[in-house]
Amino acid sequence: MIAIEELSKSWAAGPVLRDVSLVVKEGDVTALVGPSGGGKSTLLRCLNGLELFDAGTISIAGHRLAEGGHPPALLERLRRDVGLVFQQFNLFPNMSVLENVALAPRSVARLPAEEARSRALALLERVGLGSFAAARPVTLSGGQQQRVAIARALAMQPRVMLFDEPTSALDPAMSAEVLDVIGDLARGGQTMLIVTHDHGFARRAANRVVELVAGRVVRQGSAADLLE
Ligand SMILES: Nc1ncnc2c1ncn2[C@@H]1O[C@H](COP(=O)(O)OP(=O)(O)OP(=O)(O)O)[C@@H](O)[C@H]1O
Ligand SMILES: [Mg+2]
């Protein structure tokens, strides 16, 4: 589902990704771990076409990315098939929770309003927030907002979900709610690549672990082996 081959990228200050190769198979849940500044977020952003790279190739959800720019039509298809959830939830504050989740199915996938609504409601139920459909995001806790952000990313029925430290802005109780939702997705067979500093969670939810240090993959293997 994801195959990265010898991906390299430098900022003006120097290399940030050095010959990174990794594979995430369909149904795999891979935790991407490693010290701050190691390039985890940069790698995730390259996978979604938000960031360009200098060398190597990415194949993700049936799309192929190479160095240089990506055509707009490719980016559009890529972002339908690859869901991304950040540390900051970035919900649209002027829309209800339901409208946040139904927006992309309506405007990008061009579903009829009623269908987009019912898909959004089903997803809100799935993340435990069915009763908050009409609420504004600002009235929700951080953990609830992050669960809405996950529902919003799932609304395009992506083949792969990418998470960048989805709980690092949350207190432990709220983190647990969000991690439960991600754990459910894992059990449901959703292919995911999750940047996390939470090794306990990685051990529970992930079957594979990749460790990135100073832009290089230093270890990868089964979660059971690497996180012991
Ligand atoms: N837009 C940018 N321009 C220049 N340098 C950047 C940019 N974004 C990130 N960097 C640098 O690239 C390196 C890797 O950053 P990145 O955010 O990918 O690391 P990370 O592994 O996600 O770290 P953390 O665990 O703290 O989130 C850092 O040295 C960072 O300062
Ligand atoms: Mg980061």
Side-chain angles (χ1 to χ4, degrees), residues 14 17 22 33 37 39 78 81 89 96 98 109 117 143 172 186 190 192-193 196-197 209 219 227:
L17 297 173
L22 69 94
V33 302
L78 183 68
D81 290 334
F89 340 116
S96 72
L98 184 81
R117 242 185 89 80
Q190 175 77 52
M192 298 190 276
L193 179 60
T196 181
H197 289 287
V209 175
R219 296 195 300 167
L227 296 174

Short mmCIF file of all heavy atoms in Angstrom, two decimals, residues 14 17 22 33 37 39 78 81 89 96 98 109 117 143 172 186 190 192-193 196-197 209 219 227:
data_model
loop_
_atom_site.label_atom_id
_atom_site.label_comp_id
_atom_site.label_asym_id
_atom_site.label_seq_id
_atom_site.Cartn_x
_atom_site.Cartn_y
_atom_site.Cartn_z
N GLY A 14 20.54 21.44 5.49
CA GLY A 14 21.15 20.12 5.37
C GLY A 14 20.12 19.04 5.17
O GLY A 14 18.92 19.31 5.09
N LEU A 17 15.98 13.81 5.19
CA LEU A 17 15.68 12.40 4.94
C LEU A 17 16.81 11.84 4.08
O LEU A 17 17.19 12.44 3.07
CB LEU A 17 14.34 12.26 4.19
CG LEU A 17 13.10 12.78 4.96
CD1 LEU A 17 11.87 12.75 4.05
CD2 LEU A 17 12.85 11.95 6.21
N LEU A 22 10.98 2.15 3.02
CA LEU A 22 10.12 1.36 3.90
C LEU A 22 8.85 0.95 3.16
O LEU A 22 8.46 1.56 2.18
CB LEU A 22 9.80 2.08 5.20
CG LEU A 22 8.91 3.31 5.20
CD1 LEU A 22 7.46 2.91 5.48
CD2 LEU A 22 9.36 4.25 6.32
N VAL A 33 8.53 5.96 14.79
CA VAL A 33 9.02 6.52 16.05
C VAL A 33 10.42 7.10 15.85
O VAL A 33 11.02 6.92 14.79
CB VAL A 33 9.04 5.44 17.17
CG1 VAL A 33 7.66 4.83 17.38
CG2 VAL A 33 10.06 4.34 16.86
N GLY A 37 12.97 15.96 15.58
CA GLY A 37 13.84 16.48 14.52
C GLY A 37 14.35 15.41 13.58
O GLY A 37 15.10 15.69 12.65
N GLY A 39 12.79 13.77 11.30
CA GLY A 39 12.23 13.81 9.95
C GLY A 39 10.90 13.11 9.79
O GLY A 39 10.41 12.95 8.67
N LEU A 78 -4.58 11.73 -4.95
CA LEU A 78 -3.79 11.28 -3.80
C LEU A 78 -4.51 11.62 -2.50
O LEU A 78 -4.60 10.80 -1.59
CB LEU A 78 -2.43 11.98 -3.86
CG LEU A 78 -1.41 11.63 -2.81
CD1 LEU A 78 -0.93 10.20 -3.00
CD2 LEU A 78 -0.22 12.59 -2.89
N ASP A 81 -7.32 9.42 -1.50
CA ASP A 81 -6.97 8.04 -1.11
C ASP A 81 -6.11 7.98 0.15
O ASP A 81 -5.87 6.91 0.68
CB ASP A 81 -6.25 7.35 -2.27
CG ASP A 81 -7.19 7.06 -3.43
OD1 ASP A 81 -8.40 6.94 -3.18
OD2 ASP A 81 -6.71 6.97 -4.57
N PHE A 89 -6.03 19.89 15.27
CA PHE A 89 -7.17 19.29 14.58
C PHE A 89 -7.64 20.12 13.39
O PHE A 89 -8.16 19.60 12.42
CB PHE A 89 -8.33 19.05 15.55
CG PHE A 89 -7.91 19.02 16.98
CD1 PHE A 89 -8.35 19.98 17.88
CD2 PHE A 89 -7.01 18.05 17.43
CE1 PHE A 89 -7.93 19.95 19.20
CE2 PHE A 89 -6.59 18.03 18.75
CZ PHE A 89 -7.05 18.99 19.64
N SER A 96 -20.77 23.21 11.70
CA SER A 96 -21.07 22.20 12.71
C SER A 96 -20.12 21.02 12.53
O SER A 96 -19.47 20.87 11.48
CB SER A 96 -22.51 21.72 12.59
OG SER A 96 -22.65 20.92 11.44
N LEU A 98 -21.02 17.98 12.08
CA LEU A 98 -21.50 17.18 10.95
C LEU A 98 -21.04 17.79 9.62
O LEU A 98 -20.58 17.07 8.72
CB LEU A 98 -23.03 17.08 10.97
CG LEU A 98 -23.59 16.18 9.87
CD1 LEU A 98 -23.51 14.72 10.27
CD2 LEU A 98 -25.02 16.55 9.51
N ALA A 109 -16.02 14.60 -3.48
CA ALA A 109 -16.55 13.37 -4.08
C ALA A 109 -17.92 13.60 -4.73
O ALA A 109 -18.43 12.71 -5.39
CB ALA A 109 -16.64 12.27 -3.02
N ARG A 117 -24.44 13.43 4.29
CA ARG A 117 -24.89 13.58 5.67
C ARG A 117 -24.95 12.24 6.39
O ARG A 117 -24.49 12.10 7.53
CB ARG A 117 -26.32 14.14 5.65
CG ARG A 117 -26.52 15.46 6.30
CD ARG A 117 -28.02 15.77 6.28
NE ARG A 117 -28.66 15.23 7.47
CZ ARG A 117 -28.62 15.84 8.63
NH1 ARG A 117 -28.01 16.98 8.78
NH2 ARG A 117 -29.21 15.30 9.69
N GLY A 143 -10.03 16.10 22.84
CA GLY A 143 -10.12 14.70 22.41
C GLY A 143 -11.30 14.49 21.47
O GLY A 143 -11.20 13.74 20.49
N PRO A 172 -4.03 12.92 29.22
CA PRO A 172 -4.10 11.45 29.15
C PRO A 172 -5.50 10.90 28.92
O PRO A 172 -5.67 9.97 28.12
CB PRO A 172 -3.54 11.00 30.51
CG PRO A 172 -2.62 12.11 30.91
CD PRO A 172 -3.25 13.37 30.40
N ALA A 186 -7.60 0.01 13.55
CA ALA A 186 -6.57 -1.01 13.33
C ALA A 186 -7.22 -2.39 13.27
O ALA A 186 -6.95 -3.17 12.35
CB ALA A 186 -5.51 -0.96 14.43
N GLN A 190 -7.86 -1.13 8.72
CA GLN A 190 -7.43 0.09 8.04
C GLN A 190 -5.90 0.15 8.00
O GLN A 190 -5.26 0.00 9.04
CB GLN A 190 -7.98 1.31 8.81
CG GLN A 190 -7.51 2.66 8.29
CD GLN A 190 -8.24 3.10 7.02
OE1 GLN A 190 -9.47 3.11 6.97
NE2 GLN A 190 -7.47 3.44 6.00
N MET A 192 -2.53 1.92 8.18
CA MET A 192 -2.19 3.19 8.84
C MET A 192 -0.69 3.31 9.08
O MET A 192 -0.01 2.32 9.37
CB MET A 192 -2.91 3.30 10.19
CG MET A 192 -4.42 3.29 10.06
SD MET A 192 -5.26 3.71 11.61
CE MET A 192 -5.28 2.11 12.40
N LEU A 193 -0.21 4.55 9.00
CA LEU A 193 1.16 4.88 9.39
C LEU A 193 1.02 5.98 10.44
O LEU A 193 0.47 7.04 10.17
CB LEU A 193 1.96 5.35 8.17
CG LEU A 193 3.41 5.77 8.41
CD1 LEU A 193 4.24 4.62 8.97
CD2 LEU A 193 4.04 6.25 7.09
N THR A 196 4.23 8.48 16.44
CA THR A 196 3.87 8.57 17.85
C THR A 196 5.10 8.46 18.74
O THR A 196 6.09 7.82 18.37
CB THR A 196 2.85 7.48 18.23
OG1 THR A 196 2.51 7.62 19.60
CG2 THR A 196 3.39 6.07 18.00
N HIS A 197 5.04 9.15 19.88
CA HIS A 197 6.07 8.97 20.90
C HIS A 197 5.59 8.00 21.98
O HIS A 197 6.30 7.74 22.94
CB HIS A 197 6.41 10.32 21.55
CG HIS A 197 7.16 11.24 20.64
ND1 HIS A 197 8.49 11.03 20.33
CD2 HIS A 197 6.79 12.34 19.95
CE1 HIS A 197 8.90 11.99 19.50
NE2 HIS A 197 7.88 12.79 19.25
N VAL A 209 7.03 -1.50 13.34
CA VAL A 209 7.63 -0.26 13.85
C VAL A 209 8.81 0.13 12.97
O VAL A 209 9.59 -0.73 12.56
CB VAL A 209 8.13 -0.43 15.30
CG1 VAL A 209 8.86 0.81 15.78
CG2 VAL A 209 6.97 -0.74 16.23
N ARG A 219 16.03 1.28 12.47
CA ARG A 219 15.51 -0.05 12.79
C ARG A 219 14.13 -0.18 12.19
O ARG A 219 13.38 0.78 12.17
CB ARG A 219 15.39 -0.25 14.31
CG ARG A 219 16.73 -0.23 15.04
CD ARG A 219 16.58 -0.79 16.43
NE ARG A 219 15.63 -0.03 17.23
CZ ARG A 219 15.14 -0.45 18.39
NH1 ARG A 219 15.49 -1.62 18.89
NH2 ARG A 219 14.28 0.30 19.06
N LEU A 227 9.82 -3.11 20.32
CA LEU A 227 9.39 -2.29 21.45
C LEU A 227 9.52 -3.01 22.78
O LEU A 227 9.11 -2.53 23.81
CB LEU A 227 7.96 -1.79 21.23
CG LEU A 227 7.81 -0.86 20.02
CD1 LEU A 227 6.36 -0.54 19.77
CD2 LEU A 227 8.62 0.42 20.19
#
